[in-house]
Amino acid sequence: MVKDELVRELGGIEAACAPGSTGDEASGGDNGVPLCLYRVVSGLTHEAWQRLKEELELGAWRAAPHHALLAPSDEPQLLRFLSCEMDRARLCQQPLALALVEPEDPEAFDTVFDLARAQLRSFDLAARLDSGTIALVLSGTPLAAAERLIGAMLRRIRQICEPTLVCSAGLVGYGGLVQLTAEALLERAEKSVEDARRLGGNRLEVAPSADAVLASRETLVRASEKHFLFTGKKLPE
């Protein structure tokens, strides 16, 4: 009964949107503005939709996760949490890692998000971003350990999801050695996932620890200043 109603509804929409259906012959047929129709179907999984789509020959129709269209981004919450954890890293000298996971198929987003969140600890954070990316904050986790964890997570995602799913990931670490904003750390993670995507996807790209690079640069500057004070000469570049 539900399937019959769905077929009638979609058939009516397709008939109404067919070229020339408006009766306006001056419009030139199918030169109208593309239209996206949105309908919420509660409880319909990606797998069930694929079966329904094949059974009813709905090749012209696509499904997207409900949150991708309506739910607000978790980015403000992510930046607040990340800023607090970075303060903790500076005070307690405990590292953290920030990973971005990006499934290429938006219909697989909810499944990937649930799989990723299920493998986190209670004090970590998983957040949805408007870009279709999943952000994972791993508190108190060194970069090497985070790389192993995210690598295992991606393998688990490929086992559960469709084998053809392309999923890119970027990872950056922070050890609290220098002052750095949450936005700056997020930008570094975004650059890493962009590199993974550019290299074909289905891979994890790991950036150097953000503050380690800055800290080594600051150390070099201080060494150069001391050398100049004592010798009157600058260190070679």
Short mmCIF file of all heavy atoms in Angstrom, two decimals, residues 11-62:
data_model
loop_
_atom_site.label_atom_id
_atom_site.label_comp_id
_atom_site.label_asym_id
_atom_site.label_seq_id
_atom_site.Cartn_x
_atom_site.Cartn_y
_atom_site.Cartn_z
N GLY A 11 5.14 9.39 -9.66
CA GLY A 11 4.69 9.45 -11.04
C GLY A 11 3.99 10.76 -11.35
O GLY A 11 4.17 11.35 -12.42
N GLY A 12 3.18 11.25 -10.41
CA GLY A 12 2.50 12.52 -10.59
C GLY A 12 3.47 13.68 -10.68
O GLY A 12 3.30 14.60 -11.49
N ILE A 13 4.52 13.63 -9.84
CA ILE A 13 5.53 14.70 -9.87
C ILE A 13 6.26 14.70 -11.19
O ILE A 13 6.48 15.74 -11.82
CB ILE A 13 6.52 14.52 -8.69
CG1 ILE A 13 5.81 14.76 -7.36
CG2 ILE A 13 7.71 15.47 -8.85
CD1 ILE A 13 6.65 14.40 -6.15
N GLU A 14 6.65 13.50 -11.67
CA GLU A 14 7.38 13.41 -12.93
C GLU A 14 6.52 13.89 -14.10
O GLU A 14 7.00 14.56 -15.02
CB GLU A 14 7.83 11.97 -13.15
CG GLU A 14 8.95 11.54 -12.21
CD GLU A 14 9.36 10.09 -12.41
OE1 GLU A 14 8.56 9.31 -12.97
OE2 GLU A 14 10.47 9.73 -11.98
N ALA A 15 5.21 13.55 -14.05
CA ALA A 15 4.30 13.99 -15.12
C ALA A 15 4.15 15.51 -15.11
O ALA A 15 4.14 16.16 -16.16
CB ALA A 15 2.94 13.33 -14.95
N ALA A 16 4.06 16.08 -13.90
CA ALA A 16 3.91 17.53 -13.79
C ALA A 16 5.16 18.28 -14.24
O ALA A 16 5.08 19.43 -14.69
CB ALA A 16 3.57 17.91 -12.35
N CYS A 17 6.31 17.64 -14.10
CA CYS A 17 7.58 18.29 -14.45
C CYS A 17 8.03 17.97 -15.86
O CYS A 17 9.09 18.42 -16.29
CB CYS A 17 8.67 17.87 -13.46
SG CYS A 17 8.38 18.41 -11.77
N ALA A 18 7.24 17.16 -16.59
CA ALA A 18 7.63 16.77 -17.95
C ALA A 18 7.62 17.99 -18.87
O ALA A 18 6.86 18.94 -18.65
CB ALA A 18 6.68 15.71 -18.47
N PRO A 19 8.47 18.01 -19.92
CA PRO A 19 8.50 19.13 -20.85
C PRO A 19 7.11 19.40 -21.44
O PRO A 19 6.42 18.48 -21.87
CB PRO A 19 9.47 18.67 -21.93
CG PRO A 19 10.35 17.67 -21.24
CD PRO A 19 9.46 16.98 -20.24
N GLY A 20 6.72 20.66 -21.45
CA GLY A 20 5.44 21.06 -22.02
C GLY A 20 4.25 20.85 -21.13
O GLY A 20 3.12 21.13 -21.52
N SER A 21 4.46 20.33 -19.91
CA SER A 21 3.33 20.04 -19.03
C SER A 21 2.69 21.30 -18.45
O SER A 21 1.59 21.27 -17.96
CB SER A 21 3.77 19.13 -17.89
OG SER A 21 4.76 19.77 -17.10
N THR A 22 3.39 22.44 -18.51
CA THR A 22 2.86 23.68 -17.95
C THR A 22 1.86 24.35 -18.87
O THR A 22 1.13 25.25 -18.45
CB THR A 22 4.00 24.67 -17.66
OG1 THR A 22 4.65 24.98 -18.89
CG2 THR A 22 4.99 24.08 -16.69
N GLY A 23 1.84 23.92 -20.13
CA GLY A 23 0.92 24.57 -21.08
C GLY A 23 1.46 25.87 -21.61
O GLY A 23 0.82 26.53 -22.41
N ASP A 24 2.63 26.26 -21.22
CA ASP A 24 3.23 27.51 -21.67
C ASP A 24 4.16 27.21 -22.84
O ASP A 24 5.32 26.87 -22.65
CB ASP A 24 4.00 28.18 -20.53
CG ASP A 24 4.58 29.53 -20.93
OD1 ASP A 24 4.32 29.99 -22.06
OD2 ASP A 24 5.28 30.13 -20.09
N GLU A 25 3.65 27.28 -24.07
CA GLU A 25 4.43 26.91 -25.23
C GLU A 25 5.58 27.89 -25.47
O GLU A 25 6.56 27.57 -26.11
CB GLU A 25 3.53 26.85 -26.46
CG GLU A 25 2.45 25.77 -26.32
CD GLU A 25 1.67 25.60 -27.60
OE1 GLU A 25 2.07 26.21 -28.61
OE2 GLU A 25 0.66 24.87 -27.59
N ALA A 26 5.45 29.10 -24.91
CA ALA A 26 6.52 30.09 -25.10
C ALA A 26 7.70 29.80 -24.20
O ALA A 26 8.75 30.41 -24.34
CB ALA A 26 5.98 31.49 -24.81
N SER A 27 7.53 28.86 -23.26
CA SER A 27 8.61 28.60 -22.33
C SER A 27 9.72 27.77 -22.94
O SER A 27 10.78 27.61 -22.37
CB SER A 27 8.07 27.86 -21.09
OG SER A 27 7.59 26.57 -21.45
N GLY A 28 9.44 27.19 -24.13
CA GLY A 28 10.48 26.42 -24.78
C GLY A 28 10.63 25.03 -24.21
O GLY A 28 11.69 24.43 -24.30
N GLY A 29 9.58 24.46 -23.64
CA GLY A 29 9.63 23.07 -23.19
C GLY A 29 10.41 22.92 -21.91
O GLY A 29 10.00 23.38 -20.86
N ASP A 30 11.60 22.29 -21.99
CA ASP A 30 12.34 21.93 -20.78
C ASP A 30 13.45 22.93 -20.48
O ASP A 30 14.53 22.55 -20.05
CB ASP A 30 12.93 20.52 -20.91
CG ASP A 30 13.76 20.35 -22.17
OD1 ASP A 30 13.82 21.30 -22.97
OD2 ASP A 30 14.33 19.27 -22.33
N ASN A 31 13.20 24.20 -20.68
CA ASN A 31 14.19 25.23 -20.34
C ASN A 31 13.94 25.83 -18.97
O ASN A 31 14.46 26.89 -18.64
CB ASN A 31 14.17 26.36 -21.39
CG ASN A 31 14.73 25.89 -22.71
OD1 ASN A 31 15.59 25.02 -22.75
ND2 ASN A 31 14.23 26.45 -23.80
N GLY A 32 13.11 25.17 -18.15
CA GLY A 32 12.77 25.71 -16.85
C GLY A 32 13.92 25.59 -15.86
O GLY A 32 14.96 25.01 -16.14
N VAL A 33 13.70 26.15 -14.67
CA VAL A 33 14.69 26.11 -13.61
C VAL A 33 14.67 24.74 -12.92
O VAL A 33 13.60 24.24 -12.60
CB VAL A 33 14.41 27.22 -12.57
CG1 VAL A 33 15.42 27.14 -11.44
CG2 VAL A 33 14.45 28.58 -13.24
N PRO A 34 15.82 24.07 -12.73
CA PRO A 34 15.83 22.79 -12.03
C PRO A 34 15.23 22.91 -10.64
O PRO A 34 15.43 23.90 -9.94
CB PRO A 34 17.33 22.44 -11.95
CG PRO A 34 17.95 23.23 -13.05
CD PRO A 34 17.14 24.48 -13.16
N LEU A 35 14.49 21.89 -10.23
CA LEU A 35 13.78 21.92 -8.96
C LEU A 35 14.14 20.69 -8.15
O LEU A 35 14.15 19.57 -8.66
CB LEU A 35 12.26 21.95 -9.21
CG LEU A 35 11.34 21.96 -7.99
CD1 LEU A 35 11.53 23.26 -7.21
CD2 LEU A 35 9.90 21.80 -8.41
N CYS A 36 14.43 20.90 -6.87
CA CYS A 36 14.72 19.81 -5.95
C CYS A 36 13.53 19.66 -5.00
O CYS A 36 13.17 20.60 -4.31
CB CYS A 36 16.00 20.08 -5.16
SG CYS A 36 16.37 18.82 -3.92
N LEU A 37 12.92 18.49 -4.99
CA LEU A 37 11.79 18.21 -4.10
C LEU A 37 12.28 17.39 -2.92
O LEU A 37 13.01 16.41 -3.08
CB LEU A 37 10.71 17.43 -4.86
CG LEU A 37 10.10 18.19 -6.04
CD1 LEU A 37 9.23 17.27 -6.87
CD2 LEU A 37 9.28 19.37 -5.55
N TYR A 38 11.86 17.79 -1.72
CA TYR A 38 12.37 17.18 -0.49
C TYR A 38 11.23 16.56 0.29
O TYR A 38 10.21 17.20 0.54
CB TYR A 38 13.07 18.26 0.34
CG TYR A 38 13.47 17.83 1.73
CD1 TYR A 38 14.27 16.70 1.91
CD2 TYR A 38 13.05 18.54 2.84
CE1 TYR A 38 14.65 16.31 3.17
CE2 TYR A 38 13.41 18.15 4.11
CZ TYR A 38 14.21 17.03 4.28
OH TYR A 38 14.57 16.64 5.54
N ARG A 39 11.39 15.30 0.66
CA ARG A 39 10.39 14.63 1.47
C ARG A 39 11.10 13.77 2.51
O ARG A 39 12.00 13.01 2.18
CB ARG A 39 9.49 13.75 0.61
CG ARG A 39 8.43 13.02 1.44
CD ARG A 39 7.60 12.09 0.61
NE ARG A 39 6.61 11.42 1.44
CZ ARG A 39 5.82 10.46 1.02
NH1 ARG A 39 5.88 10.05 -0.22
NH2 ARG A 39 4.96 9.89 1.84
N VAL A 40 10.69 13.89 3.77
CA VAL A 40 11.28 13.11 4.85
C VAL A 40 10.61 11.74 4.90
O VAL A 40 9.38 11.64 4.91
CB VAL A 40 11.10 13.82 6.21
CG1 VAL A 40 11.65 12.95 7.34
CG2 VAL A 40 11.80 15.17 6.19
N VAL A 41 11.44 10.68 4.92
CA VAL A 41 10.93 9.31 5.08
C VAL A 41 11.63 8.72 6.30
O VAL A 41 12.77 8.30 6.24
CB VAL A 41 11.21 8.45 3.83
CG1 VAL A 41 10.62 7.04 4.01
CG2 VAL A 41 10.63 9.12 2.58
N SER A 42 10.94 8.72 7.42
CA SER A 42 11.53 8.27 8.68
C SER A 42 11.78 6.76 8.64
O SER A 42 10.95 5.99 8.15
CB SER A 42 10.61 8.60 9.86
OG SER A 42 10.41 10.00 9.93
N GLY A 43 12.95 6.35 9.16
CA GLY A 43 13.25 4.93 9.32
C GLY A 43 13.73 4.24 8.05
O GLY A 43 13.98 3.04 8.07
N LEU A 44 13.86 4.97 6.95
CA LEU A 44 14.32 4.36 5.70
C LEU A 44 15.84 4.40 5.65
O LEU A 44 16.45 5.46 5.58
CB LEU A 44 13.74 5.11 4.50
CG LEU A 44 14.06 4.52 3.12
CD1 LEU A 44 13.42 3.15 2.95
CD2 LEU A 44 13.59 5.46 2.02
N THR A 45 16.48 3.22 5.67
CA THR A 45 17.93 3.15 5.62
C THR A 45 18.41 3.25 4.18
O THR A 45 17.63 3.11 3.23
CB THR A 45 18.44 1.83 6.22
OG1 THR A 45 17.97 0.74 5.40
CG2 THR A 45 17.93 1.63 7.64
N HIS A 46 19.72 3.47 4.02
CA HIS A 46 20.30 3.56 2.68
C HIS A 46 20.10 2.25 1.92
O HIS A 46 19.77 2.24 0.73
CB HIS A 46 21.79 3.88 2.80
CG HIS A 46 22.52 3.83 1.49
ND1 HIS A 46 22.26 4.71 0.47
CD2 HIS A 46 23.49 2.98 1.04
CE1 HIS A 46 23.05 4.43 -0.57
NE2 HIS A 46 23.79 3.38 -0.24
N GLU A 47 20.28 1.12 2.62
CA GLU A 47 20.14 -0.19 1.97
C GLU A 47 18.70 -0.43 1.52
O GLU A 47 18.45 -0.91 0.41
CB GLU A 47 20.59 -1.30 2.92
CG GLU A 47 22.09 -1.32 3.23
CD GLU A 47 22.50 -0.23 4.20
OE1 GLU A 47 21.60 0.37 4.85
OE2 GLU A 47 23.71 0.05 4.30
N ALA A 48 17.73 -0.07 2.39
CA ALA A 48 16.32 -0.24 2.03
C ALA A 48 15.93 0.65 0.85
O ALA A 48 15.16 0.25 -0.02
CB ALA A 48 15.43 0.07 3.24
N TRP A 49 16.48 1.88 0.83
CA TRP A 49 16.20 2.78 -0.29
C TRP A 49 16.73 2.22 -1.59
O TRP A 49 16.07 2.28 -2.63
CB TRP A 49 16.79 4.16 -0.03
CG TRP A 49 16.89 5.00 -1.27
CD1 TRP A 49 18.01 5.34 -1.95
CD2 TRP A 49 15.79 5.59 -2.00
NE1 TRP A 49 17.70 6.09 -3.05
CE2 TRP A 49 16.35 6.27 -3.11
CE3 TRP A 49 14.42 5.59 -1.82
CZ2 TRP A 49 15.57 6.94 -4.03
CZ3 TRP A 49 13.63 6.27 -2.75
CH2 TRP A 49 14.21 6.94 -3.84
N GLN A 50 17.94 1.63 -1.56
CA GLN A 50 18.51 1.07 -2.78
C GLN A 50 17.64 -0.07 -3.32
O GLN A 50 17.43 -0.18 -4.53
CB GLN A 50 19.93 0.57 -2.51
CG GLN A 50 20.95 1.67 -2.26
CD GLN A 50 21.12 2.60 -3.45
OE1 GLN A 50 20.98 2.20 -4.60
NE2 GLN A 50 21.41 3.87 -3.18
N ARG A 51 17.12 -0.91 -2.40
CA ARG A 51 16.24 -2.00 -2.84
C ARG A 51 14.94 -1.46 -3.42
O ARG A 51 14.46 -1.93 -4.47
CB ARG A 51 15.93 -2.93 -1.65
CG ARG A 51 17.13 -3.75 -1.18
CD ARG A 51 16.68 -4.86 -0.26
NE ARG A 51 16.06 -4.34 0.96
CZ ARG A 51 16.71 -4.08 2.08
NH1 ARG A 51 18.02 -4.29 2.14
NH2 ARG A 51 16.08 -3.62 3.16
N LEU A 52 14.38 -0.44 -2.77
CA LEU A 52 13.14 0.16 -3.23
C LEU A 52 13.34 0.85 -4.57
O LEU A 52 12.50 0.77 -5.48
CB LEU A 52 12.64 1.16 -2.18
CG LEU A 52 11.24 1.76 -2.36
CD1 LEU A 52 10.19 0.66 -2.26
CD2 LEU A 52 10.99 2.83 -1.32
N LYS A 53 14.45 1.54 -4.71
CA LYS A 53 14.77 2.25 -5.94
C LYS A 53 14.87 1.29 -7.12
O LYS A 53 14.37 1.56 -8.22
CB LYS A 53 16.08 3.02 -5.75
CG LYS A 53 16.49 3.89 -6.92
CD LYS A 53 17.74 4.67 -6.57
CE LYS A 53 18.20 5.55 -7.73
NZ LYS A 53 19.41 6.32 -7.38
N GLU A 54 15.50 0.15 -6.90
CA GLU A 54 15.65 -0.85 -7.95
C GLU A 54 14.30 -1.51 -8.27
O GLU A 54 13.94 -1.70 -9.45
CB GLU A 54 16.66 -1.91 -7.52
CG GLU A 54 16.94 -2.96 -8.58
CD GLU A 54 17.99 -3.94 -8.14
OE1 GLU A 54 18.65 -3.69 -7.10
OE2 GLU A 54 18.17 -4.96 -8.83
N GLU A 55 13.54 -1.84 -7.23
CA GLU A 55 12.26 -2.52 -7.41
C GLU A 55 11.26 -1.67 -8.17
O GLU A 55 10.53 -2.15 -9.05
CB GLU A 55 11.69 -2.90 -6.04
CG GLU A 55 10.33 -3.60 -6.11
CD GLU A 55 9.77 -3.89 -4.74
OE1 GLU A 55 10.53 -3.78 -3.74
OE2 GLU A 55 8.56 -4.20 -4.65
N LEU A 56 11.23 -0.36 -7.85
CA LEU A 56 10.24 0.54 -8.45
C LEU A 56 10.80 1.33 -9.62
O LEU A 56 10.13 2.23 -10.15
CB LEU A 56 9.69 1.49 -7.38
CG LEU A 56 9.04 0.84 -6.17
CD1 LEU A 56 8.53 1.89 -5.20
CD2 LEU A 56 7.90 -0.07 -6.60
N GLU A 57 12.05 1.03 -10.02
CA GLU A 57 12.69 1.71 -11.16
C GLU A 57 12.69 3.22 -10.99
O GLU A 57 12.24 3.98 -11.84
CB GLU A 57 11.99 1.32 -12.47
CG GLU A 57 12.08 -0.17 -12.77
CD GLU A 57 11.41 -0.55 -14.08
OE1 GLU A 57 10.76 0.33 -14.69
OE2 GLU A 57 11.55 -1.70 -14.50
N LEU A 58 13.23 3.66 -9.83
CA LEU A 58 13.27 5.09 -9.51
C LEU A 58 14.66 5.67 -9.81
O LEU A 58 15.28 6.31 -8.98
CB LEU A 58 12.91 5.32 -8.04
CG LEU A 58 11.55 4.75 -7.60
CD1 LEU A 58 11.37 4.93 -6.10
CD2 LEU A 58 10.42 5.43 -8.36
N GLY A 59 15.13 5.40 -11.01
CA GLY A 59 16.50 5.79 -11.35
C GLY A 59 16.74 7.29 -11.31
O GLY A 59 17.87 7.73 -11.12
N ALA A 60 15.68 8.09 -11.49
CA ALA A 60 15.85 9.55 -11.53
C ALA A 60 15.83 10.17 -10.14
O ALA A 60 16.04 11.37 -10.00
CB ALA A 60 14.75 10.18 -12.38
N TRP A 61 15.61 9.34 -9.09
CA TRP A 61 15.47 9.89 -7.74
C TRP A 61 16.65 9.51 -6.88
O TRP A 61 17.20 8.42 -6.98
CB TRP A 61 14.17 9.38 -7.10
CG TRP A 61 12.95 9.88 -7.80
CD1 TRP A 61 12.34 9.32 -8.87
CD2 TRP A 61 12.25 11.08 -7.51
NE1 TRP A 61 11.28 10.09 -9.26
CE2 TRP A 61 11.19 11.17 -8.45
CE3 TRP A 61 12.40 12.09 -6.55
CZ2 TRP A 61 10.29 12.23 -8.46
CZ3 TRP A 61 11.49 13.13 -6.56
CH2 TRP A 61 10.45 13.20 -7.50
N ARG A 62 17.06 10.44 -6.03
CA ARG A 62 18.17 10.21 -5.10
C ARG A 62 17.71 10.46 -3.68
O ARG A 62 16.77 11.22 -3.44
CB ARG A 62 19.35 11.13 -5.42
CG ARG A 62 20.02 10.82 -6.74
CD ARG A 62 21.32 11.57 -6.84
NE ARG A 62 22.23 11.17 -5.78
CZ ARG A 62 23.33 11.83 -5.45
NH1 ARG A 62 23.64 12.93 -6.08
NH2 ARG A 62 24.11 11.40 -4.48
#
